[in-house]
Amino acid sequence: MRYFIYNHLADNKVSTVIFDYRKEFFPEEIRIDLREFYQHFESCREIIYLYPSLPCRAKELIINGLSDISNLERANICVIPYNEDGIQTSIRNLEQILRSGIYGIIKSRNVIMGSDDNFHYVLPSGKHSPFFIRTGNILLYNEEIYFLGLCLLNRCTVSSVDQITCDTSSILHLALALNYIRGLFDRALEIPIDSFKSYSFKREGYLFKARTLVLISASNSGKLEDEIRTHERDLEIVTIILNSKDGHGRKFLINIYSEFDELVAGLSKNQFHNYNGCEYCNRNSIPVLVRSEQFMPSRVSNQRVDIKIKHKPEWLDNIIKIFCSNKAIRAFKGDDIKSKKREIYIDVETLYDKSTTFKEEFFKYVKNHLPLSVSLIIHLPDAGSEFISKRIAEFYNENRPEREVQVIHARDIMSLDRERENIILVVASCLTSGNKFNSISRDLRDFERSSIHYFTVLSRLSSKRKLSILKGNLRYRAENVKYVNKYHQLYEATLGVANSVRIVPLISVC
């Protein structure tokens, strides 16, 4: 997409905001981008168009072009120019509209990096924390970076500084975006841009020059800003993402304090100042240091840890007894050494054939927890899921011979009758991320007269938090209590994905 487009909802009115960061106006390109945008969002009642105030950008031309594209009346189209100092036009709720766009980027880019029971972060400030705000995650696409740069222009007097310095190189793109936007008006900032390396600036002897714009990527307390000001007061300091109940007296791009619970999604918010008294360290959670310019999970604090019986996860006994003893787990499955299939593979067919215990537990669960009224089974696109689906279908057909259950592949969902009343069972042999269940859930969204049950033999997501989020997504059903969605699992294990990046703590066992 060549324009940054997002929806802003206020007073029950949806406004589509279009941010343009180029010198020319191309109605056809906007038409293409709007068509793509409206494939995912409903139509709006108002368009707000942010554009560079240049001689070639005639206001009437823009309004006429947008009116033709959107079929909206001219009165419902608001065009707002900006220049090298930001947006000068004042309209009602402009700050809320811009903030909505900033927050949308933050929410969609996973700016909060969470931990699990095995490790936690040691932030550059020295605090021990279960989460880490990595602002660099939001700087992925040109149109979004320039939009953030425009919002930043409104919060700082860039023209009065001689240098821009950032606490981490991962946000240098924002400083470059300021230069780009001012360059649209032939007034580019010909000033140096560098990094002062966060809290290590004192140790490395970094000197802040007068008339410097300081960009801090993220802060929970403003401590870094306070330390910088003890060395040099004639500075303009702006924090990109602030998470503070009291942000008065500080400049920031956005304060996410009111939405923080939503962003951390159930993580603990407790932070501790050092190793002594840290509840995470006391639980033998490994402290992972966040160093210098980058988030580097490989750089950890080595310490001796006693691994005891109490540290054994609850699910381990079942997995060892049922899966491992029957050789139902295969690692690095592939046809040869060059194969890309390097994932851990759960062989449910072997498990079914070899383990009487598994069969008993499997059919006991099907009998007691899955509805006998299932009329349709949809299986994921793998042999194990198809195998399990057929065993469930055989159970249903034996116990209610008057009505045969239909078994189909997930790719055949589009051929089904959406108006027919069904009890649908979606089956997976093993879940590693839940993405396929989520995909099928979207495909079944229009089946308003069907109750949908999701069943897997093994849920092996990387954390309980991710499994909880998946269950919540699959169970959600808006405005219809007659037809419900439910999630079922026979076994659960917290395991990582073999081909993903994993944090491997260095532990010395006593």
Side-chain angles (χ1 to χ4, degrees):
M1 188 172 287
R2 289 144 293 191
Y3 296 81
F4 178 48
I5 304 177
Y6 65 95
N7 273 339
H8 170 71
L9 176 63
D11 301 326
N12 295 319
K13 181 174 71 174
V14 177
S15 300
T16 294
V17 182
I18 306 172
F19 168 65
D20 186 359
Y21 59 97
R22 298 179 299 181
K23 289 187 175 183
E24 303 298 330
F25 179 60
F26 297 97
E28 184 56 34
E29 290 192 0
I30 292 184
R31 187 187 304 275
I32 294 171
D33 286 343
L34 282 176
R35 187 182 301 118
E36 179 182 341
F37 181 76
Y38 287 134
Q39 286 179 353
H40 305 283
F41 297 95
E42 295 180 356
S43 60
C44 66
R45 293 174 54 189
E46 178 187 48
I47 286 180
I48 299 172
Y49 185 77
L50 308 175
Y51 70 100
S53 178
L54 296 164
C56 62
R57 306 302 299 273
K59 182 177 179 180
E60 290 301 314
L61 175 63
I62 294 173
I63 293 177
N64 291 337
L66 290 174
S67 179
D68 291 340
I69 294 167
S70 62
N71 293 322
L72 289 178
E73 296 293 334
R74 291 166 57 88
N76 293 328
I77 299 174
C78 179
V79 293
I80 303 177
Y82 62 85
N83 58 26
E84 63 269 22
D85 297 318
I87 299 175
Q88 304 303 309
T89 305
S90 177
I91 66 169
R92 187 173 66 90
N93 295 331
L94 178 60
E95 282 299 313
Q96 290 88 339
I97 290 170
L98 296 178
R99 189 186 189 282
S100 177
I102 298 170
Y103 182 69
I105 296 173
I106 287 175
K107 188 176 180 182
S108 64
R109 299 289 177 257
N110 297 319
V111 73
I112 307 293
M113 302 186 69
S115 59
D116 57 27
D117 294 337
N118 298 315
F119 76 99
H120 63 281
Y121 300 106
V122 181
L123 305 180
S125 64
K127 285 185 179 180
H128 289 228
S129 172
F131 62 86
F132 172 60
I133 303 176
R134 190 171 193 275
T135 307
N137 285 3
I138 66 177
L139 305 177
L140 295 180
Y141 301 104
N142 281 345
E143 59 270 19
E144 295 179 358
I145 295 172
Y146 296 140
F147 173 77
L148 296 174
L150 171 66
C151 296
L152 190 59
L153 272 176
N154 280 19
R155 289 158 175 78
C156 60
T157 55
V158 180
S159 57
S160 66
V161 302
D162 298 325
Q163 180 181 11
I164 301 178
T165 184
C166 308
D167 67 332
T168 166
S169 62
S170 65
I171 64 168
L172 290 178
H173 294 84
L174 269 181
L176 295 171
L178 295 178
N179 267 355
Y180 173 86
I181 292 174
R182 290 180 65 85
L184 293 174
F185 310 94
D186 299 323
R187 289 183 56 186
L189 288 174
E190 299 297 338
I191 58 177
I193 300 173
D194 64 9
S195 170
F196 63 90
K197 299 182 180 180
S198 191
Y199 285 88
S200 62
F201 76 91
K202 291 183 293 184
R203 183 176 65 254
E204 299 193 9
Y206 185 91
L207 296 178
F208 291 93
K209 300 177 183 178
R211 295 167 57 82
T212 294
L213 170 62
V214 180
L215 299 181
I216 297 175
S217 56
S219 177
N220 292 300
S221 62
K223 179 182 175 183
L224 179 56
E225 177 180 345
D226 295 339
E227 288 200 18
I228 293 173
R229 291 200 181 279
T230 61
H231 292 75
E232 177 59 62
R233 302 192 64 83
D234 187 20
L235 299 172
E236 184 165 26
I237 303 177
V238 181
T239 299
I240 307 305
I241 300 178
L242 183 67
N243 175 36
S244 174
K245 184 177 182 179
D246 182 14
H248 298 300
R250 303 188 189 278
K251 290 186 176 182
F252 50 83
L253 185 62
I254 186 172
N255 188 348
I256 60 173
Y257 182 79
S258 59
E259 298 95 353
F260 193 68
D261 286 343
E262 177 186 11
L263 292 172
V264 296
L267 283 176
S268 170
K269 295 186 289 185
N270 296 331
Q271 295 181 323
F272 301 90
H273 289 286
N274 49 46
Y275 291 91
N276 298 325
C278 172
E279 66 178 37
Y280 312 115
C281 290
N282 291 340
R283 294 201 301 261
N284 289 332
S285 171
I286 305 300
V288 178
L289 305 181
V290 179
R291 292 283 193 175
S292 186
E293 301 286 308
Q294 303 177 25
F295 170 54
M296 302 182 64
S298 60
R299 300 185 64 175
V300 300
S301 174
N302 298 339
Q303 59 177 337
R304 299 178 70 84
V305 177
D306 289 326
I307 298 178
K308 301 178 180 179
I309 292 294
K310 67 178 183 179
H311 296 121
K312 180 183 63 173
E314 297 177 358
W315 51 263
L316 187 60
D317 285 340
N318 263 345
I319 296 301
I320 295 294
K321 179 181 178 182
I322 300 294
F323 289 83
C324 296
S325 62
N326 292 288
K327 298 182 179 180
I329 298 180
R330 297 173 61 185
F332 301 117
K333 182 182 186 301
D335 297 330
D336 54 58
I337 194 66
K338 296 181 180 180
S339 173
K340 293 183 179 180
K341 296 180 180 179
R342 311 297 289 176
E343 177 60 278
I344 296 173
Y345 180 74
I346 307 299
D347 190 346
V348 292
E349 296 185 48
T350 296
L351 187 62
Y352 186 91
D353 292 337
K354 288 188 175 182
S355 175
T356 303
T357 302
F358 171 76
K359 272 189 183 179
E360 291 174 352
E361 292 185 0
F362 170 68
F363 285 113
K364 181 179 179 181
Y365 191 96
V366 171
K367 179 180 180 180
N368 293 328
H369 296 278
L370 300 185
L372 192 60
S373 54
V374 167
S375 56
L376 173 66
I377 298 178
I378 302 172
H379 64 80
L380 266 58
D382 63 85
S385 299
E386 182 179 6
F387 177 85
I388 288 297
S389 297
K390 289 180 177 179
R391 302 294 80 76
I392 296 175
E394 289 170 359
F395 172 83
Y396 283 136
N397 294 334
E398 289 174 2
N399 286 273
R400 44 160 221 198
E402 73 285 353
R403 184 181 180 188
E404 185 174 357
V405 66
Q406 181 184 6
V407 179
I408 68 168
H409 191 286
R411 64 170 173 261
D412 298 324
I413 290 177
M414 295 299 105
S415 64
L416 297 173
D417 181 3
R418 288 167 169 73
E419 299 302 321
R420 181 181 176 184
E421 189 169 12
N422 285 309
I423 306 296
I424 300 174
L425 179 64
V426 183
V427 174
S429 59
C430 177
L431 286 187
T432 57
S433 66
N435 291 339
K436 291 181 180 178
F437 264 6
N438 278 325
S439 177
I440 290 177
S441 173
R442 289 191 291 270
D443 291 339
L444 295 175
R445 194 171 293 166
D446 295 334
F447 288 68
E448 298 178 354
R449 292 171 53 80
S450 297
S451 291
I452 305 168
H453 294 254
Y454 298 87
F455 171 76
T456 180
V457 173
L458 175 64
S459 298
R460 46 151 293 198
L461 276 71
S462 59
S463 68
K464 285 184 173 292
R465 172 174 160 263
K466 290 183 178 180
L467 179 58
S468 176
I469 293 173
L470 173 65
K471 289 179 179 179
N473 290 340
L474 296 177
R475 289 170 180 163
Y476 176 75
R477 187 127 193 184
E479 302 177 359
N480 195 337
V481 294
K482 181 179 178 180
Y483 303 100
V484 297
N485 296 350
K486 290 187 177 181
Y487 181 90
H488 307 271
Q489 63 185 30
L490 188 55
Y491 303 108
E492 176 186 335
T494 305
L495 294 172
V497 180
N499 59 359
S500 67
V501 177
R502 301 292 297 157
I503 294 177
V504 183
L506 182 60
I507 303 177
S508 177
V509 181
C510 298

